[in-house]
Amino acid sequence: MSDLPGRYSSVQKFLHWTMAVLIVLMVAVGLTMTSIGETPYTGALYELHKSTGIVVLALALIRIAVRRARSAPPLEPMPEWQRKAAYASHYSMYALIVLVPLMGWIATSHCCKPVNLFWTIPVSLPIPDAPTMEASKPLFLIHFTVAFLLAAIVTVHVTAALHHHFVKRDRTLRRMLPGGD
Ligand code: HEM
Ligand code: HEM
């Protein structure tokens, strides 16, 4: 049923909402761990941020593969500029959900090997070690900048989705909701 044209498939909906929750948590944990200083929880927050981020990267690649295989339902009727904005924001978010965790992974593999998945499996990228922590700062700056850009686009995206639902009252949000049509 959920694979009928005109709505997203169940897999697309599952990936969309799972990743939305994870990405919001990732931003919150990233900002918290870098601002609380040395506490008994700081190390664990860093570990969770890095590991969950790598899971987000894997989900993003699966999601892009599903999107290419399954495509997306045509947009609801809307003015041409909104159509262009919707496509631009969707493609930018697809690029950023790969780029943000990838840059975090590259920066961390540069400064602080080993990168471990949930305290266990080593997943450091094979790139040279930074001579000092300072040397990795530009890579972390890119990580932060693309994360900020993603958060900004998501804010506009959520506002647009709510506008479609509550003001225009079209199917845009419903076709992304579980069981919606
Ligand atoms: C969707 C995925 C991710 C998001 C949204 C995200 C977001 C953020 C944010 C907002 C910060 C705070 C930056 C600051 O306050 O300076 C941060 C810091 C950090 N992120 Fe990520 N991140 C993601 C994935 C990753 C991954 C996969 C890794 C490593 C494997 C990683 C490693 C780090 C590290 C080590 C810091 C701290 C940098 C510092 O101490 O200055 N992140 N991230
Ligand atoms: C980190 C959070 C989020 C990210 C990265 C994200 C990303 C995306 C992407 C890439 C698409 C395009 C899907 C495709 O065409 O294959 C999409 C569609 C959609 N998103 Fe989000 N989203 C997020 C959060 C949200 C939230 C919180 C809402 C609701 C309030 C929402 C509502 C929608 C809707 C309704 C669509 C379908 C739009 C359409 O095709 O007409 N998203 N999202």
Side-chain angles (χ1 to χ4, degrees):
M1 281 295 280
S2 60
D3 278 336
L4 288 174
R7 71 186 75 179
Y8 288 93
S9 69
S10 315
V11 174
Q12 285 173 308
K13 291 176 186 176
F14 174 80
L15 287 169
H16 177 271
W17 294 111
T18 308
M19 292 188 70
V21 171
L22 288 179
I23 289 169
V24 170
L25 287 176
M26 286 297 296
V27 172
V29 171
L31 294 174
T32 307
M33 72 193 192
T34 49
S35 58
I36 56 174
E38 274 303 319
T39 75
Y41 316 106
T42 310
L45 287 180
Y46 267 85
E47 204 61 26
L48 277 177
H49 181 86
K50 291 186 275 180
S51 303
T52 311
I54 292 170
V55 171
V56 168
L57 175 59
L59 290 177
L61 296 176
I62 294 171
R63 185 167 169 195
I64 289 168
V66 172
R67 174 65 161 79
R68 287 179 68 94
R70 206 282 174 177
S71 190
L75 294 175
E76 289 288 284
M78 62 180 83
E80 190 54 25
W81 73 267
Q82 284 181 12
R83 185 171 293 277
K84 285 187 178 147
Y87 284 130
S89 62
H90 291 174
Y91 284 114
S92 309
M93 286 189 290
Y94 275 125
L96 287 167
I97 56 178
V98 172
L99 201 59
V100 172
L102 188 61
M103 281 315 302
W105 194 4
I106 290 173
T108 313
S109 302
H110 188 240
C111 79
C112 322
K113 285 197 189 72
V115 183
N116 289 326
L117 203 51
F118 298 105
W119 290 269
T120 51
I121 310 162
V123 289
S124 312
L125 292 173
I127 53 172
D129 289 336
T132 59
M133 275 298 284
E134 204 60 22
S136 301
K137 281 223 161 133
L139 290 174
F140 278 112
L141 184 63
I142 299 177
H143 177 55
F144 177 67
T145 308
V146 284
F148 180 83
L149 195 61
L150 175 61
I153 297 175
V154 166
T155 305
V156 176
H157 173 67
V158 171
T159 310
L162 297 178
H163 177 80
H164 277 282
H165 192 67
F166 291 109
V167 180
K168 294 179 78 178
R169 296 177 180 276
D170 64 19
R171 293 172 59 249
T172 300
L173 180 58
R174 269 182 292 143
R175 66 199 201 147
M176 186 49 106
L177 290 177
D181 68 344

